[in-house]
Amino acid sequence: MMFIRAQTQWNVSMSGYTGLRYDVLLFSGGLFDLYSVEDRLEMLEGLQTMEAAALSVLAKSDEQEDK
């Protein structure tokens, strides 16, 4: 659920998506606080795994568009 909650929090550059904005997740008053995440490290590691998978899919999509 946290990955879905963070779906609008991607950093984007001229070359495309670069990763999630961790400040929105971790800083005081961020999503981890808002949803009372108890094991912040476990949640962050899970999000990073999903983020890496999503970036891989997005990169492949960009490659196909360039062809």
Side-chain angles (χ1 to χ4, degrees):
M1 284 303 300
M2 188 61 71
F3 188 72
I4 293 170
R5 291 174 179 141
Q7 68 183 331
T8 61
Q9 302 304 320
W10 286 89
N11 285 311
V12 181
S13 73
M14 294 294 285
S15 61
Y17 292 95
T18 59
L20 288 172
R21 294 182 54 216
Y22 294 125
D23 57 324
V24 173
L25 301 169
L26 298 169
F27 287 171
S28 180
L31 290 177
F32 283 11
D33 283 349
L34 182 64
Y35 291 100
S36 303
V37 173
E38 291 184 22
D39 191 340
R40 296 166 71 97
L41 179 59
E42 180 181 12
M43 179 67 73
L44 181 60
E45 289 172 345
L47 286 170
Q48 288 173 323
T49 299
M50 290 181 265
E51 174 189 38
L55 287 170
S56 177
V57 170
L58 290 167
K60 288 178 186 175
S61 176
D62 286 344
E63 288 174 8
Q64 288 177 350
E65 287 180 12
D66 289 341
K67 290 183 181 181

